[in-house]
Amino acid sequence: MRTKSILLAGNWKMNHGPADTAKFLEAIEVKEKPNAKMRLYVPYLSLQAALESVENRLLPIEIGAQNVHFEKSGAFTGEISAPMLKEVGITQALIGHSERRQYFNETNDTVLKRTVFALSQGMEVLLCIGETLAERQANRTEAVLEEQLVQILAQPDCLSAFGTKLHIAYEPVWAIGTGVVATPEQAEAAHAFIRGLLAKKLPSDQVNATRILYGGSVSPSNFAELLKCPNIDGGLVGGASLKLDSWTQLWGLL
Ligand code: 13P
C-alpha cells in the first residue's frame, strides 16, 4: 500500500487581486494536518500579498505561481521567469494547465521547456494534463495522457525530479468549471494509468512518492469519495478554492 501525502491545491486562475488575496488570507483559519499540505496558485500580481499574509499569520499554506517561462530573462513580453519568482520567494509553479493550452497556445513542447527550466532553477512543478470531451468520447483518453507525458518521461532531469520536485495534476478538460466531475472510477482509472506510465520508467519508491492530483469541479460534496481512490493524492481546485467556506470545508475533509 502507498502512504499518501495529500496536497490540497487551489488554482485561483485570473481571480483575486492583491487586496482580495490579503482579505482571504487574513480571514482564513487553517489547522495543520499531519499528512496534508495546502497550497494556493495565485495570480502573479497577488503573489507578494499572499506571501506577506502567510508569513505574518504563520499560516501553513504554500504559495505558487500559475505558470513560469522557459528562459531566465529576455524579449518575452508579458512573461515571468523562474529567477523573478524566486526573487520574491516563490518556488512553486503550475505548468501546462489546459486553459494555457486552450487559450494561449501552450503545447507539449513548451510545457516540456518550461518544466525543464523551472526544475533547473530548483522550482517545484505541478504538471497539468488531461483529455478533452471529444478525446474521451473517441476513446483516446489514455493515448492523450501518454502524448502529454512522453517527452517529459524521456527527459532525464524530469525523470529524476518525479516524487520530489515534479508532480502531476490530472484534469479532464470536460470537468473543469462545468460542475461535471469525473466519477471516482473514471478518475482512478486515469490516475492508475498515469502511475503505470511512470512505473515503466522509474523505481517504485519514486512512482509512489509522485502525487497525482485530480482536478475538475472538485467540491466539498465530491472530494471525500475521490480521495478514497488509491491513486488520487489530493485535488487541484478552481471554483471551490475561491470562497473561504468551500475551501476550508475541503481542508476539513482531509
Ligand atoms: P474547477 O474546480 O473550477 O472545475 O477548476 C479546476 C481547475 O482547472 C483547477 O486547475
Side-chain angles (χ1 to χ4, degrees):
M1 256 307 254
R2 296 175 53 237
T3 320
K4 289 192 193 183
S5 148
I6 303 286
L7 174 62
L8 176 63
N11 173 12
W12 280 0
K13 309 188 180 186
M14 199 171 70
N15 297 289
H16 290 333
D20 278 352
T21 297
K23 210 162 123 193
F24 186 101
L25 291 170
E26 293 309 320
I28 196 169
E29 295 299 336
V30 189
K31 258 203 229 121
E32 276 197 64
K33 310 241 175 192
N35 209 25
K37 289 205 287 189
M38 182 188 285
R39 187 179 301 156
L40 289 170
Y41 294 97
V42 310
Y44 289 129
L45 208 57
S46 303
L47 287 169
Q48 284 179 284
L51 282 179
E52 218 172 279
S53 299
V54 162
E55 280 161 20
N56 286 345
R57 297 194 58 216
L58 302 174
L59 293 169
I61 307 178
E62 297 176 347
I63 302 298
Q66 297 171 9
N67 198 6
V68 58
H69 197 255
F70 46 77
E71 295 284 348
K72 215 178 255 174
S73 61
F76 299 102
T77 302
E79 290 283 330
I80 302 281
S81 73
M84 290 172 184
L85 290 172
K86 289 198 301 175
E87 184 180 333
V88 298
I90 298 296
T91 56
Q92 302 282 346
L94 273 189
I95 294 182
H97 191 279
S98 64
E99 287 150 18
R100 300 291 321 166
R101 296 176 190 259
Q102 208 176 335
Y103 305 129
F104 302 100
N105 292 329
E106 197 78 69
T107 63
N108 290 330
D109 289 335
T110 55
V111 167
L112 175 72
K113 282 164 76 171
R114 290 182 196 269
T115 303
V116 170
F117 188 68
L119 292 174
S120 80
Q121 298 294 297
M123 295 193 71
E124 183 176 326
V125 173
L126 184 58
L127 174 74
C128 303
I129 59 174
E131 82 287 359
T132 62
L133 183 60
E135 289 163 343
R136 174 163 284 264
Q137 286 172 339
N139 261 329
R140 292 201 64 244
T141 299
E142 293 187 351
V144 169
L145 297 177
E146 196 160 358
E147 280 161 23
Q148 289 173 332
L149 282 176
V150 68
Q151 296 177 79
I152 297 277
L153 288 170
Q155 216 290 336
D157 296 336
C158 293
L159 278 179
S160 62
F162 272 113
T164 49
K165 295 285 194 183
L166 181 55
H167 299 269
I168 294 176
Y170 167 64
E171 298 204 305
V173 178
W174 47 271
I176 294 179
T178 57
V180 181
V181 64
T183 64
E185 294 72 27
Q186 286 171 323
E188 172 57 22
H191 284 230
F193 176 75
I194 294 164
R195 207 176 294 284
L197 292 177
L198 300 182
K200 289 188 191 164
K201 295 279 191 159
L202 294 169
S204 60
D205 56 337
Q206 243 187 304
V207 175
N208 288 336
T210 301
R211 282 196 200 93
I212 306 178
L213 305 191
Y214 169 80
S217 296
V218 168
S219 74
S221 63
N222 58 38
F223 194 40
E225 281 305 306
L226 288 162
L227 277 177
K228 285 185 195 156
C229 299
N231 283 293
I232 297 184
D233 302 310
L236 180 58
V237 185
S241 71
L242 292 173
K243 295 205 187 88
L244 262 182
D245 57 350
S246 45
W247 183 240
T248 47
Q249 275 177 46
L250 288 171
W251 183 244
L253 294 171
L254 302 178

